[in-house]
Amino acid sequence: ENQNHFFENCDGLLKLESLLYYDELRGASLRIIAILAIGQNTSHSRRIIEDLIKLMQPLGETLLDLLHVRLRIDILRALCFIMQVNESTKRIFREALGFNWAISLLQDLGLFLSVNSNFTETNVELYDHLEFLLKGVLNTLSIALKG
């Protein structure tokens, strides 16, 4: 009951999503979002999965922005947890074009890495995070395909 009130009447999800851009608040916010997503309310799960995919959508110039790379890594981890706990969210992920987003990201990463294969001290952190992002995408796709 309280969960529905928070979700529907207080714009709770929008408020939580706005906190995701702060590294120190992202983990706790994603844990709350995940708890809401694994509940029995399918419409909440659908909305959450769709919103998380939309948050990761803009690639282009944000592909190499470290804040957005870390945001995507953390969202992918949350999606993996959600899909492992609630099997029905795998279908929602597929219907919400999660695969399309993931393939698009893999293509953009491949293009970037093929052109920028030289590691320098200034971009080592970015490359490390891009590696975690790549692993996160592959893990998410693997989980979404099972079952």
Side-chain angles (χ1 to χ4, degrees):
E1 183 66 36
N2 289 337
Q3 178 181 347
N4 288 336
H5 177 74
F6 173 77
F7 195 88
E8 294 168 1
N9 300 331
C10 300
D11 288 327
L13 186 58
L14 289 174
K15 289 177 179 157
L16 285 170
E17 287 175 357
S18 68
L19 299 176
L20 296 179
Y21 291 96
Y22 301 95
D23 286 338
E24 60 277 357
L25 301 174
R26 186 177 309 123
S29 300
L30 282 170
R31 281 190 290 282
I32 295 168
I33 290 170
I35 289 167
L36 292 169
I38 61 177
Q40 298 301 313
N41 191 323
T42 307
S43 65
H44 289 181
S45 299
R46 176 172 298 286
R47 179 167 170 213
I48 290 168
I49 299 291
E50 289 172 351
D51 284 359
L52 290 176
I53 291 170
K54 284 179 189 170
L55 280 171
M56 296 188 295
Q57 284 289 338
L59 295 174
E61 69 280 351
T62 67
L63 176 65
L64 303 179
D65 176 61
L66 203 50
L67 168 70
H68 285 89
V69 171
R70 287 194 305 259
L71 174 66
R72 288 184 183 110
I73 291 167
D74 291 339
I75 289 174
L76 287 168
R77 287 181 181 147
L79 283 170
C80 287
F81 172 76
I82 291 166
M83 289 188 289
Q84 287 174 324
V85 174
N86 184 341
E87 289 285 320
S88 69
T89 58
K90 294 177 183 182
R91 179 182 43 78
I92 295 169
F93 178 82
R94 292 189 292 259
E95 292 170 358
L97 303 178
F99 281 106
N100 292 6
W101 173 83
I103 299 301
S104 175
L105 176 67
L106 290 174
Q107 183 179 19
D108 287 353
L109 278 173
L111 289 171
F112 169 76
L113 293 173
S114 69
V115 172
N116 300 294
S117 59
N118 296 333
F119 290 94
T120 65
E121 286 186 31
T122 57
N123 64 11
V124 167
E125 183 180 15
L126 173 63
Y127 277 91
D128 287 345
H129 280 80
L130 289 177
E131 180 182 351
F132 287 123
L133 180 60
L134 177 61
K135 289 177 181 177
V137 170
L138 295 174
N139 192 35
T140 303
L141 289 174
S142 173
I143 291 169
L145 285 169
K146 292 178 186 171

